[in-house]
Amino acid sequence: MISAQAVKELRDKTGAGMMDCKKALTQAEGDIEKAIDILREKGLASAAKKSGRVASEGVIATYVSEDMKKASIIELNCETDFVSANTDFINLANGIAKVVAETTPQDIEEVKALPYEGITVQEAVTNLIAKLGENMNLRRFEKIDAADGLVSAYNHMGGKIGVLVQVRSEEANDAVATVARDVAMHVAALNPQFLDNTSVDADTIEREKEIYRVQALNEGKPEKIVDKMVEGRINKFYKEVCLVNQMFVKNPDLSIQAFVNEESKKHGKIELVKFVRFEKGEGIEKEEVDFAAEVAAQMGLNK
């Protein structure tokens, strides 16, 4: 019988996961030192020791099913751009995206527990950490099911940016998929914040109105025309941040909505439903490394 205290002791010594410690202790018949060797042999101890390092590089991977009805996007992070270009790393990211699209996980922990090539997704990540020697983290995902249309994906700069675009359409064919992909390319380039005016939340609108109101007053505008100026600036705000209002990057004479309307005349009615845009490392604070201090620490010179 493996005690909870023994599991805790092994975890404290190695930094490995609780279940990995329990399995190692069972295999070692309770011998702590032998269990440490087992974890080291599997690369689990060394992987855990790297978990404190910031993983802000990586790749955005997308997957779209053959019938274009199911799609997913995931972000898998690592520490350096060297590892982010590694074939094993990229293959793992693409494989995880496929697993997500084919299942129904509710959160990132459920994704990590999904079966993946005879082990779990998290175990696959841990194994690759041990192999490549860098911390990695499956950070986020999103899945789209398009029952009455299709989903198209676009990946930019080798996975620096990934986009999914869902459309509702009369047909689910390659021509409609190309329209959705053109919109996805636009999303990658211009980074809209919302789909349309109705998607903008009330708090955002109120915050923008207050900013514009103060701006107008600071410009010395009369109080009686301030509200009209605020409304005008809100309309401009909609054009800047809402996808359907933005001018199409491939044809600046058309808004995205006008572009979709034009394509609808050729391929049957097409309606934009949703988009998801992930950019690698967005929102992650990179670790500033003092290389002199790091070398000194590794040489035991810091007292």
Side-chain angles (χ1 to χ4, degrees):
M1 180 71 178
I2 305 302
S3 69
Q5 181 59 38
V7 173
K8 182 180 184 302
E9 182 181 345
L10 182 58
R11 189 181 185 193
D12 289 343
K13 286 186 175 183
T14 64
M18 197 173 299
M19 289 306 297
D20 292 321
C21 288
K22 186 175 181 181
K23 288 176 183 176
L25 280 166
T26 301
Q27 186 177 338
E29 299 179 341
D31 186 322
I32 293 282
E33 295 304 316
K34 189 181 289 186
I36 291 173
D37 289 342
I38 290 169
L39 288 171
R40 291 185 64 192
E41 288 166 2
K42 292 181 177 179
L44 296 173
S46 60
K49 288 175 184 175
K50 298 181 180 75
S51 64
R53 304 211 297 254
V54 175
S56 58
E57 293 295 331
V59 69
I60 307 298
T62 60
Y63 175 82
V64 179
S65 61
E66 193 172 339
D67 63 3
M68 297 179 285
K69 297 292 186 182
K70 297 180 183 295
S72 69
I73 182 169
I74 66 113
E75 179 175 6
L76 182 63
N77 297 122
C78 58
E79 294 178 53
T80 65
D81 56 4
F82 178 77
V83 165
S84 71
N86 178 275
T87 301
D88 289 340
F89 182 82
I90 293 169
N91 288 343
L92 177 59
N94 290 333
I96 293 171
K98 184 174 187 291
V99 167
V100 169
E102 293 173 344
T103 54
T104 55
Q106 299 302 305
D107 56 39
I108 198 69
E109 293 307 315
E110 287 192 14
V111 174
K112 291 177 180 180
L114 289 171
Y116 183 84
E117 296 185 354
I119 54 178
T120 67
V121 165
Q122 183 56 54
E123 286 170 336
V125 172
T126 300
N127 289 346
L128 195 58
I129 292 172
K131 179 179 179 180
L132 299 182
E134 278 196 12
N135 186 31
M136 298 173 194
N137 178 48
L138 180 59
R139 184 185 179 203
R140 54 180 171 162
F141 77 98
E142 190 148 347
K143 178 186 174 181
I144 295 179
D145 289 313
D148 53 354
L150 57 80
V151 187
S152 196
Y154 173 70
N155 286 70
H156 184 63
M157 295 179 64
K160 180 180 179 181
I161 298 171
V163 180
L164 298 179
V165 168
Q166 178 187 359
V167 300
R168 186 175 294 116
S169 57
E170 295 176 8
E171 300 291 337
N173 54 33
D174 290 343
V176 175
T178 299
V179 174
R181 188 173 187 276
D182 281 345
V183 174
M185 291 175 64
H186 171 96
V187 171
L190 266 66
N191 192 16
Q193 303 302 301
F194 306 95
L195 178 66
D196 55 25
N197 296 16
T198 64
S199 304
V200 186
D201 60 280
D203 287 345
T204 296
I205 293 298
E206 286 308 309
R207 183 170 63 250
E208 292 298 318
K209 283 184 176 180
E210 184 59 29
I211 291 170
Y212 298 148
R213 188 174 288 109
V214 172
Q215 285 176 351
L217 292 172
N218 287 343
E219 291 166 7
K221 305 299 182 185
E223 185 85 41
K224 61 183 179 182
I225 69 166
V226 166
D227 286 344
K228 186 171 288 188
M229 289 185 64
V230 168
E231 287 305 314
R233 291 180 182 181
I234 284 292
N235 288 333
K236 183 180 178 183
F237 172 75
Y238 283 138
K239 289 181 179 179
E240 292 173 349
V241 302
C242 295
L243 172 60
V244 298
N245 299 329
Q246 290 180 337
M247 303 314 291
F248 185 26
V249 71
K250 290 179 70 173
N251 183 356
D253 292 332
L254 295 175
S255 68
I256 285 292
Q257 188 60 64
F259 164 68
V260 172
N261 290 345
E262 287 294 314
E263 294 301 313
S264 293
K265 295 174 183 176
K266 307 173 191 174
H267 311 297
K269 184 171 176 57
I270 303 170
E271 179 186 351
L272 294 175
V273 176
K274 181 179 183 177
F275 72 87
V276 181
R277 182 186 189 274
F278 282 2
E279 186 165 347
K280 177 191 70 177
E282 58 189 346
I284 299 176
E285 290 189 18
K286 283 198 173 185
E287 186 176 32
E288 296 297 327
V289 178
D290 183 336
F291 287 104
E294 186 176 276
V295 170
Q298 290 182 4
M299 294 180 68
L301 299 178
N302 286 351
K303 303 297 183 185

